[in-house]
């Protein structure tokens, strides 16, 4: 079940859109935040509050890769490996994360601290390689810098 | 007038349509895949691309509207190329397992590729793999075959309104799934299966049992389940029904079916069917010959009639049997046995409700066309969930909402909750106060029309303010006002009325209030009907106070007419209602009971007491297709032919008469023929060559059915009032009964659940429906469950004054905290075994809403 604040948030979002289906995307983000990922319960909660059938909500959500479709670690590393980042060594960083932290693309560390998702160009080509950790943005990555960054997230 | 030229042919059109529709109207074929006439346009598959002059690129004919002067070509080398290319794309991932696929032979992809496609694809990549899903008991999903036309989703979301499936994922990974990804959690209408062009979703009922081209017989008949009367096509191979499908264009259901109609047919071939007559010897039913059973029945009925007189005999007719069966049945009771003691389970609500309302508004006031509901600008729903009781009618209410109409619900209506209903839920036993409030509000807003003084006299007495409603019913004043404002602003309102009203305390008084709403709003009223021929049973005169043609027995003029036609006197004394029969059996006054296609020992409330009463009856005859609880009590049991094995007619809730046609052969006799044989043995001639001859007699003597023929009925023209005349101007005084008030605080009440997936016990003989809804459960709200620490699946004992049952519990979020819901469908687990009733003195319907119930956890 969603807590009262989240229900309120969802109802407010609903008001911003002409119909309930239009409010799905932001609503799903809230549910994902509350439930950890888009679990059946998360869809049910959104469906209940917006009045959008849960099968439809799931259909919409699965179109987008940026939702969490399965349980994930506490922090999410989104590392870009598209052309610019690749040329500037992103793939080495992938190996680094794997060897040093046991963090594989699409995987989660055994302590549940990090999950990693490979991204396709996050718009930082000029300062590649780049990544996001949760909502924070990092560029000009090196192995050392990554170590420093990861240390900030528990 | 719009003029377009397609392939050089000039076409004139009255109103703008799509290029595809224009072409089809002129007999020009354009291939399509995602287009379906029942569904919203999509324009996804691109197979229908056509060339339009002055538009540079090819256009989809299924979405493009014609404009005056448009010039279209549908077959050019370029178009052929494009079609071939699209089909080649579709086949990249298609498994081409046609030899193994049930759809082969009626597959649109197969046909298209055969006609337009490349002989061989050029793509060498591996095909997408997805194992066939057999997680659902009814559907098999094969997503390798899916062509992503979204027809199923548009059907489920846009027409059925269940929204249980969606396209998931993206690009090459996308396919259709129900929410769980495996088993469906839906209404099981199967309408998605109907529209899937390929073998991606199919029914498991006939899996690998036949090929479409092996179907020799396609019988167009009427669904045996509810009063909507959907047209179905039974596909038969080797004298067994393989599949039941709807018919596009049929008047009632136009290509749609519900779960019962589509998946409920397997009872016909059940191995539990009765095969031989049986006679009770030393308390045990033993097989007997037809001759023995018929002559014994005739002899015993004759003896009892001579010894105790006709009124000591009663008959129960069947809303599942045809008009012809029922007509012969009542004629037999009246002519051969000399009694008006004839009734049916229509007495449990439908009959009394109809009589009450039509007494005020005139005969035929409740005969309204179902499809008209979607054109209403508001629908008021009370007394039951139409989407479960009469699902296809329910769809029309959903359609009304989609078209912008308002749904006004009294109490929570589960099947309409996603359709923005304006709902007012009164506290228990305060529905009357709410209705009074609505009548008062409408009276003040709209004034009295002045046309029905008797009703206005009652309306004048009513004055209940919004404040009183708030205090009494627990409905906030502003919600009540919103409700009555929406209602009163409506110009073309309809009212959909379920049986819960007649079966509640003060039912007839509530009916008066609902009639008042109907009157003040100038609305149309629809009565939900649970049995396929519930209306027909009344029209045929299977009621203690009615003669065929729905003519009151009390009118000497009609009696005379039938006496002349039947060459036999008819008693002027009204007979016993079905409940009075039970009382009469209890007091030993009833000596013989003839039951055709009904199971009163299960289908009447307080069924245990009914059983005890029937044990007193000297001689009981039962005609049925299964050995029911009632059959077990009988002295003689006749095996009857089922719905699929006979000819005849049903009359649906709109009072449309429709033809039942024989789909499969079976040895045995129709119900009417068994009766006619018994009559013959009693020296009474009740001979007919077939159902049609019976109908000819009906249309000769019933003023309502005058001159109707099977041929005309077959054409779909038999719509009320046919060519006959309804009875006008016989209004009796409006009588009503306010019932007693109940204070429900802190108690639990047993209530009847009317499920979508079952109907009587018949549906429990249909394995697919049992797989969907397998057993009786006690449904309670989360709070009630929590108080006893009950979770879904735990066992509980449900007890009332008449007994107790141990049942699994199901927690239902939408339920109130005063109810325990239970169905009356599963043998030995029926709600009616736990319910007592009182009779509403006006409607003669059983009042069953005051059965206190105790719930206890059963420890494993
Ligand atoms: S069976 Fe009916 S309700 Fe179920 S998914 Fe198909 S269309 Fe929807
Ligand atoms: S399952 Fe059938 S109807 Fe649904 S999208 Fe696939 S091919 Fe079309
Ligand atoms: S709505 Fe009634 S008549 Fe139509 S298919 Fe369903 S049960 Fe049969
Ligand atoms: S390629 Fe990595 S940010 Fe654009
Ligand atoms: S039929 Fe027109 S695009 Fe599919």
């Amino acid at each position: 079940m969603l807590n009262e604040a989240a229900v309120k948030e969802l109802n407010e979002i609903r008001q911003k859109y002409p119909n309930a289906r239009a409010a799905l995307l932001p609503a799903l983000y809230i549910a994902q935040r509350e439930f950890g990922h888009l679990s059946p319960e998360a869809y049910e909660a959104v469906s209940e509050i917006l009045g959008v059938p849960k099968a439809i909500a799931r259909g919409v959500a699965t179109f987008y890769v940026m939702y969490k479709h399965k349980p994930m670690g506490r922090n999410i590393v989104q590392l870009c490996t598209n052309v610019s980042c690749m040329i500037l060594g992103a793939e080495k960083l992938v190996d680094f994360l794997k060897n040093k932290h046991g963090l594989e693309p699409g995987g989660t560390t055994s302590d549940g601290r990090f999950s990693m998702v490979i991204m396709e160009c996050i718009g930082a080509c000029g300062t590649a390689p780049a990544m996001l950790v949760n909502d924070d943005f990092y560029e000009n990555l090196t192995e050392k810098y990554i170590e420093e960054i990861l240390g900030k997230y528990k | 007038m719009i003029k377009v030229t397609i392939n050089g042919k000039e076409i004139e059109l009255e109103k703008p349509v799509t290029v595809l529709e224009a072409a089809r109207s002129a007999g020009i074929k354009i291939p399509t895949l995602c287009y379906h006439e029942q569904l919203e346009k999509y324009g996804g598959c691109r197979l229908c691309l056509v060339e339009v002059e002055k538009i540079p690129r090819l256009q989809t004919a299924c979405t493009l509207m014609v404009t005056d002067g448009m010039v279209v070509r549908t077959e050019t080398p370029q178009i052929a190329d494009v079609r071939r290319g699209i089909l080649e794309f579709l086949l990249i991932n298609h498994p081409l397992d046609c030899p193994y696929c049930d759809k082969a032979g009626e597959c649109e992809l197969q046909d298209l590729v055969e006609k337009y496609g490349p002989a061989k694809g050029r793509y060498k990549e591996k095909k997408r793999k997805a194992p066939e899903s057999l997680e659902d008991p009814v559907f098999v999903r094969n997503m390798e075959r899916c062509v992503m036309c979204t027809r199923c989703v548009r059907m489920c979301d846009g027409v059925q309104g269940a929204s249980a499936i969606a396209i998931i994922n993206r690009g090459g990974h996308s396919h259709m799934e129900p929410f769980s990804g495996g088993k469906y959690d839906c209404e099981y209408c199967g309408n998605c299966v109907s529209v899937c062009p390929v073998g991606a979703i199919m029914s498991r009922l006939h899996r690998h049992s036949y090929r479409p081209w092996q179907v020799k017989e396609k019988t167009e008949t009427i669904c045996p389940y509810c009063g909507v009367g959907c047209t179905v096509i039974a596909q038969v191979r080797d004298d067994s029904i393989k599949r039941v499908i709807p018919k596009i264009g049929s008047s009632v259901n136009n290509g749609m079916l519900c779960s019962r109609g589509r998946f409920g047919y397997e009872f016909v071939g059940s191995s539990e069917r009765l095969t031989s007559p049986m006679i009770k010897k030393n308390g045990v039913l033993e097989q007997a010959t037809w001759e023995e059973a018929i002559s014994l029945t005739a002899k015993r009925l004759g003896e009892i009639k001579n010894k105790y007189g006709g009124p000591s005999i009663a008959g129960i007719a069947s809303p599942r049997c045809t008009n012809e069966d029922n007509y012969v049945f009542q004629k037999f009771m009246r002519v051969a046995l000399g009694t008006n003691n004839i009734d049916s389970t229509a007495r449990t609500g439908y009959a009394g409700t109809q009589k009450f309302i039509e007494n005020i508004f005139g005969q035929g006031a409740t005969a309204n066309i179902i499809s008209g509901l979607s054109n209403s600008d508001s629908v008021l729903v009370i007394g039951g969930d139409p989407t479960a009781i009469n699902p296809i009618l329910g769809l029309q209410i959903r359609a009304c909402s989609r078209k912008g109409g308002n749904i006004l619900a009294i109490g929570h209506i589960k099947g309409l909750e996603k359709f923005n209903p304006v709902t007012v839920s009164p506290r228990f036993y305060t529905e009357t106060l709410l209705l009074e409030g609505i009548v008062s509000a409408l009276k003040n807003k709209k004034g009295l029309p002045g046309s029905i003084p008797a009703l206005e006299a009652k309306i004048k007495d009513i004055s209940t303010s919004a404040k009183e409603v708030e205090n009494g019913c627990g409905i906030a004043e502003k919600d009540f006002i919103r409700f009555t404002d929406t209602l009163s602003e409506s110009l073309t309102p309809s009212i959909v009325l379920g049986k819960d009203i007649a079966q509640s305390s003060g039912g007839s008084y509530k009916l008066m209030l609902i009639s008042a709403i109907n009157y003040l709003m100038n609305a149309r009223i629809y009565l939900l009907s649970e049995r396929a021929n519930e209306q027909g049973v009344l029209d045929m005169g299977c009621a203690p106070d009615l003669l065929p043609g729905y003519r009151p027995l009390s009118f000497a003029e009609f009696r005379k007419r039938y006496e002349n036609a039947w060459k036999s006197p008819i008693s002027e004394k009204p007979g016993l209602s079905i409940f009075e029969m039970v009382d009469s059996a209890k007091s030993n006054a009833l000596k013989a009971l003839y039951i055709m296609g009904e199971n009163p020992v299960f289908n009447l409330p307080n069924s245990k007491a009914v059983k005890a009463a029937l044990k007193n009856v000297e001689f009981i005859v039962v005609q049925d297709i299964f050995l029911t609880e009632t059959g077990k009590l009988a002295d003689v049991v006749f095996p009857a032919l089922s719905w699929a094995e006979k000819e005849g007619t049903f009359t649906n809730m709109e009072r449309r008469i429709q033809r039942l046609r024989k789909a499969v052969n079976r040895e045995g006799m129709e119900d009417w023929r068994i009766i006619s044989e018994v009559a013959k043995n009693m020296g009474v001639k009740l001979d007919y060559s077939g159902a049609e001859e019976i109908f000819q007699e009906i249309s000769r003597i019933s003023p309502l059915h005058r001159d109707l023929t099977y041929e005309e009925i077959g054409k779909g023209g038999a719509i009320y009032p046919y060519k006959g005349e309804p009875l006008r101007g016989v209004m009796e005084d409006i009588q009503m009964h306010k019932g007693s008030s109940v204070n429900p605080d802190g108690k639990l009440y047993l209530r009847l659940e009317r499920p979508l997936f079952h109907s009587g016990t018949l549906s429990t003989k249909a394995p697919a429906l049992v797989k969907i809804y397998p057993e009786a459960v006690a449904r309670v709200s989360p709070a009630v469950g929590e108080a006893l620490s009950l979770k879904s699946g735990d066992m509980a004992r449900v007890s009332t004054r008449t007994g107790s049952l141990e049942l699994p519990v199901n927690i239902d979020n939408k339920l109130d905290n005063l109810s325990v819901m239970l169905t009356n469908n599963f043998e030995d687990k029926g709600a009616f075994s736990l319910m007592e009733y009182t009779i509403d003195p006006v409607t003669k319907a059983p009042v069953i809403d005051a059965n206190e119930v105790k719930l206890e956890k059963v420890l494993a």
Side-chain angles (χ1 to χ4, degrees):
Chain A
M1 286 303 277
L2 284 176
N3 60 39
E4 240 172 75
V7 172
K8 189 161 164 271
E9 218 178 326
L10 279 175
N11 281 321
E12 279 165 12
I13 281 181
R14 167 67 189 88
Q15 297 314 317
K16 292 191 186 144
Y17 293 87
N19 64 58
R21 288 193 186 190
L24 262 180
L25 294 184
L28 286 165
Y29 270 112
I30 293 169
Q32 156 176 306
R33 187 189 70 208
E34 297 298 316
F35 288 89
H37 75 287
L38 289 178
S39 59
E41 295 72 30
Y43 288 123
E44 267 154 24
V46 169
S47 163
E48 193 57 41
I49 293 165
L50 295 189
V52 174
K54 58 190 182 183
I56 304 289
R58 177 169 174 263
V60 169
T62 54
F63 182 86
Y64 297 97
V65 289
M66 285 160 96
Y67 286 112
K68 299 177 197 166
H69 296 291
K70 54 182 187 192
M72 287 203 158
R74 292 190 295 282
N75 304 291
I76 308 212
V77 176
Q78 302 180 314
L79 183 70
C80 174
T81 57
N82 211 316
V83 182
S84 309
C85 292
M86 178 193 71
I87 293 172
L88 289 166
E91 282 176 353
K92 282 213 190 87
L93 298 177
V94 173
D95 289 342
F96 169 74
L97 284 170
K98 184 166 151 190
N99 298 334
K100 182 84 196 285
H101 294 275
L103 190 53
E104 293 195 52
T108 302
T109 53
S110 52
D111 59 0
R113 193 168 149 210
F114 291 109
S115 289
M116 175 161 72
V117 182
I118 298 293
M119 304 298 286
E120 303 300 342
C121 189
I122 49 177
C125 308
T127 47
M131 72 173 184
L132 285 157
V133 179
N134 302 337
D135 294 332
D136 307 327
F137 189 69
Y138 300 99
E139 51 202 353
N140 295 320
L141 296 175
T142 58
E143 290 180 10
K144 187 161 160 276
Y145 187 26
I146 286 191
E147 271 309 284
E148 194 183 304
I149 296 166
L150 294 189
K152 293 200 272 185
Y153 297 90
K154 294 298 161 206
Chain B
M1 195 63 85
I2 303 166
K3 277 192 193 143
V4 288
T5 311
I6 305 184
N7 296 350
K9 191 165 172 180
E10 269 202 21
I11 302 166
E12 295 198 350
L13 298 152
E14 296 282 344
K15 48 178 202 261
V17 295
T18 61
V19 172
L20 179 68
E21 284 155 346
R24 290 203 171 166
S25 73
I28 297 167
K29 282 215 176 85
I30 299 174
T32 55
L33 191 58
C34 69
Y35 169 84
H36 192 281
E37 58 192 291
Q38 282 174 282
L39 305 175
E40 200 164 311
K41 299 179 176 57
Y42 180 58
C45 76
R46 322 306 284 178
L47 265 168
C48 66
L49 287 173
V50 293
E51 203 177 281
V52 183
E53 268 180 23
K54 303 202 191 93
I55 304 185
R57 287 188 306 163
L58 298 182
Q59 298 293 313
T60 46
C62 68
T63 55
L64 184 68
M65 302 300 282
V66 292
T67 51
D68 197 31
M70 192 181 255
V71 179
V72 181
R73 272 177 290 276
T74 73
E75 302 285 340
T76 66
Q78 188 202 4
I79 293 173
D81 240 23
V82 167
R83 281 181 195 152
R84 207 173 314 119
I86 292 166
L87 288 166
E88 194 179 357
F89 269 140
L90 283 176
L91 294 186
I92 292 180
N93 271 320
H94 196 85
L96 289 171
D97 53 355
C98 310
Y100 168 81
C101 176
D102 272 347
K103 193 79 176 184
E106 55 177 22
C107 173
E108 292 180 34
L109 181 66
Q110 195 178 49
D111 295 347
L112 286 166
V113 172
E114 195 262 329
K115 187 148 183 223
Y116 301 98
K120 206 166 175 311
R122 287 164 293 177
Y123 298 92
K124 301 261 182 302
E125 288 75 11
K126 278 217 181 78
K127 289 184 191 264
R128 166 176 88 177
K129 283 278 156 235
E132 196 159 54
S133 161
L134 289 164
E135 286 146 289
D136 192 82
V138 172
F139 300 123
V140 41
R141 232 167 18 94
N142 183 321
M143 284 304 118
E144 292 177 2
R145 297 186 189 136
C146 174
V147 294
M148 287 295 297
C149 63
T150 76
R151 268 154 62 156
C152 54
V153 176
R154 280 177 286 148
M155 169 53 82
C156 189
D157 190 32
V159 186
Q160 178 66 23
S163 312
I165 51 179
I167 302 290
I168 69 149
N169 296 341
R170 183 201 289 189
H173 299 285
S174 43
H175 60 270
M176 179 277 289
E177 259 184 22
F179 179 71
S180 79
K183 195 177 175 313
Y184 285 63
D185 171 16
C186 74
E187 300 181 345
Y188 283 97
C189 63
N191 292 318
C192 51
V193 176
S194 280
V195 295
C196 179
V198 295
I201 354 169
M202 312 230 18
S203 147
R204 291 182 69 175
L205 276 67
H206 58 85
R207 188 166 148 83
H208 300 332
S209 70
Y210 77 116
R211 294 298 198 170
W213 61 84
Q214 289 170 327
V215 174
K216 292 275 176 311
E217 301 297 330
K218 293 184 184 150
T219 310
E220 184 174 328
T221 183
I222 302 302
C223 168
Y225 282 104
C226 88
V228 171
C230 296
T231 299
V232 296
I233 295 176
Q235 299 194 338
V236 176
R237 184 187 179 200
D238 297 337
D239 247 342
S240 120
I241 301 180
K242 290 292 172 203
R243 176 163 69 159
V244 166
I245 54 172
K247 182 183 163 195
I248 292 183
S250 64
S251 18
V252 179
N253 52 316
N254 189 16
M256 304 289 286
L257 282 181
C258 81
S259 57
R260 302 187 294 245
R262 188 186 298 267
F263 298 124
Y265 58 86
E266 289 173 301
F267 69 85
V268 173
S270 165
S271 57
E272 292 171 47
R273 287 277 302 271
L274 284 169
T275 50
S276 143
M278 289 192 282
I279 293 177
K280 193 165 271 169
K281 287 180 188 147
N282 305 321
V284 188
L285 281 171
E286 289 177 12
Q287 290 211 349
T289 65
W290 281 94
E291 290 72 31
E292 285 168 342
I294 288 166
S295 68
L296 177 68
T297 304
K299 183 170 142 261
R300 294 290 285 127
L301 290 175
E303 285 168 6
I304 290 170
K305 185 186 171 195
N306 290 338
K307 189 160 165 202
Y308 305 102
S312 69
I313 307 176
I316 298 178
S318 173
R320 289 224 197 273
C321 286
T322 61
N323 286 325
E324 292 74 1
D325 291 328
N326 282 300
Y327 175 80
V328 172
F329 183 76
Q330 60 83 36
K331 188 172 169 187
F332 172 72
M333 295 305 295
R334 291 192 161 111
V335 174
L337 300 178
T339 177
N340 285 317
N341 294 341
I342 311 151
D343 208 7
S344 72
T345 49
R347 189 65 44 208
T348 60
Y350 188 79
T353 301
Q354 184 165 73
K355 187 172 172 191
F356 187 97
I357 292 171
E358 300 206 340
N359 176 40
I360 298 174
F361 298 105
Q363 201 180 12
T366 63
N368 293 304
I369 301 288
I370 294 170
S371 59
L373 272 171
S374 66
N375 297 325
S376 297
D377 63 0
S378 72
V379 181
L380 173 65
V381 183
I382 179 168
D385 184 347
T387 67
I389 298 165
N390 292 131
I392 295 294
L393 177 142
L395 293 187
Q396 293 292 336
I397 304 176
R398 290 176 176 172
C400 166
S401 159
R402 262 189 227 107
K403 289 184 189 172
N406 290 306
I407 295 178
L408 296 145
I410 297 186
H412 176 250
I413 311 277
K414 189 157 186 268
L416 296 172
E417 66 185 6
K418 295 257 157 57
F419 294 81
N420 306 315
V422 184
T423 305
V424 283
S425 292
R427 277 192 203 115
F428 267 122
Y429 305 108
T430 65
E431 209 170 33
T432 304
L433 184 69
L434 170 64
L435 289 169
E436 285 175 339
I438 297 173
V439 171
S440 306
L442 292 178
K443 175 173 69 173
N444 295 338
K445 280 180 205 293
K446 318 233 13 145
L448 292 168
S451 51
I452 305 181
L455 184 56
E456 293 196 356
K458 309 279 180 203
I459 296 174
K460 279 186 193 131
D461 289 345
I462 299 163
S463 129
T464 299
S465 68
K467 201 79 226 153
E468 284 168 279
V469 170
E470 177 168 295
N471 294 335
C473 309
I475 296 167
E477 198 174 334
K478 71 171 193 336
D479 293 337
F480 174 77
I481 289 172
R482 175 165 168 234
F483 187 92
T484 48
D485 281 354
T486 313
L487 181 60
S488 73
E489 279 156 22
S490 163
L491 299 173
T492 53
S494 295
I495 299 175
V496 173
L497 173 56
K499 226 166 153 180
D500 284 354
I501 295 298
Q503 293 182 343
S504 65
S505 176
S508 49
Y509 181 59
K510 290 185 196 169
L511 286 178
M512 186 281 290
L513 294 169
I514 292 166
S515 301
I517 296 173
N518 189 52
Y519 177 64
L520 294 167
M521 287 307 304
N522 191 16
R524 272 183 302 198
I525 197 156
Y526 294 77
L527 307 184
L528 299 181
S529 165
E530 294 177 3
R531 295 285 191 271
N533 203 26
E534 197 166 20
Q535 182 65 45
V537 105
L538 298 170
D539 288 351
M540 289 301 116
C542 289
D545 55 347
L546 289 178
L547 288 168
Y550 212 95
R551 291 317 201 238
L553 176 79
S554 55
F555 282 31
E557 153 199 358
F558 295 125
R559 265 197 331 270
K560 192 98 233 111
R561 180 187 184 124
Y562 288 95
E563 285 178 340
N564 290 340
W566 294 342
K567 303 192 179 54
S568 159
I570 297 171
S571 163
E572 63 182 304
K573 199 172 145 255
L576 301 174
S577 79
I578 198 166
F579 296 103
E580 288 160 351
M581 291 176 197
V582 174
D583 293 343
S584 168
K586 198 164 153 195
S587 66
N588 275 314
L590 193 72
K591 299 297 177 191
L593 188 55
Y594 201 125
I595 302 167
M596 173 180 79
E598 187 52 85
N599 184 9
V601 168
F602 189 83
N603 287 336
L604 293 183
N606 207 352
S607 46
K608 282 186 193 159
V610 174
K611 184 169 178 181
L614 260 52
K615 281 192 174 150
N616 293 341
V617 179
E618 259 185 60
F619 185 66
I620 298 181
V621 190
V622 169
Q623 299 181 182
D624 213 315
I625 63 173
F626 291 103
L627 187 60
T628 60
E629 291 82 347
T630 310
K632 288 175 191 155
L633 293 184
D635 299 278
V636 178
V637 177
F638 289 105
L641 290 182
S642 81
W643 142 89
E645 294 139 3
K646 61 187 181 186
E647 302 282 330
T649 56
F650 278 167
T651 306
N652 78 351
M653 56 189 291
E654 308 170 294
R655 282 181 240 188
R656 187 192 296 268
I657 304 178
Q658 307 192 97
R659 280 273 280 119
L660 223 70
R661 294 185 186 83
K662 181 164 145 183
V664 293
N665 295 297
R666 189 184 176 94
E667 259 179 60
M669 288 194 239
E670 300 94 327
D671 283 288
W672 65 263
R673 211 185 286 271
I674 302 170
I675 294 163
S676 123
E677 289 295 321
V678 172
K680 198 196 286 171
N681 267 255
M682 295 177 76
V684 176
K685 202 170 160 295
L686 220 57
D687 269 355
Y688 302 93
S689 60
E692 185 159 13
E693 193 185 341
I694 303 170
F695 198 81
Q696 282 163 358
E697 176 171 319
I698 298 168
S699 62
R700 227 175 12 254
I701 67 175
S702 155
L704 192 59
H705 301 84
R706 184 177 297 154
D707 295 339
L708 265 182
T709 61
Y710 267 18
E711 204 191 337
E712 240 167 301
I713 295 171
K715 285 189 224 138
I719 299 171
Y720 191 82
Y722 323 122
K723 284 182 274 182
E725 17 177 286
L727 204 55
R728 297 279 180 222
V730 278
M731 177 146 174
E732 294 161 24
D733 197 31
I734 302 176
Q735 294 189 353
M736 56 206 194
H737 180 70
K738 285 203 173 181
S740 46
S741 69
V742 183
N743 179 4
D745 281 353
K747 296 175 199 148
L748 280 174
Y749 290 85
L750 184 62
R751 292 180 196 281
L752 184 61
E753 175 185 339
R754 304 179 200 273
L756 167 60
F757 303 117
H758 285 290
S759 167
T761 46
L762 188 64
S763 56
T764 61
K765 308 286 184 196
L769 295 177
V770 175
K771 282 179 201 147
I772 298 171
Y773 193 132
E775 56 178 350
V777 293
R779 227 177 267 284
V780 295
S781 72
V784 170
E786 213 163 285
L788 294 166
S789 46
L790 284 165
K791 299 183 304 299
S792 282
D794 288 354
M795 294 298 286
R797 185 172 303 106
V798 179
S799 329
T800 63
R801 299 203 328 183
T802 70
S804 76
L805 291 174
E806 278 187 20
L807 298 162
V809 168
N810 190 296
I811 306 289
D812 183 337
N813 293 328
K814 294 296 157 70
L815 218 58
D816 56 78
N817 297 333
L818 296 168
S819 300
V820 176
M821 304 285 295
L822 175 61
T823 59
N824 196 63
N825 302 100
F826 293 92
E827 212 173 324
D828 300 329
K829 298 275 161 77
F832 280 172
S833 68
L834 300 181
M835 285 182 165
E836 292 172 281
Y837 62 87
T838 54
I839 293 288
D840 184 297
V842 182
T843 62
K844 303 271 178 12
V847 174
I848 54 171
D849 68 344
N851 284 287
E852 269 181 54
V853 64
K854 211 167 88 211
L855 195 68
E856 299 155 287
K857 185 165 183 163
V858 177
L859 298 169

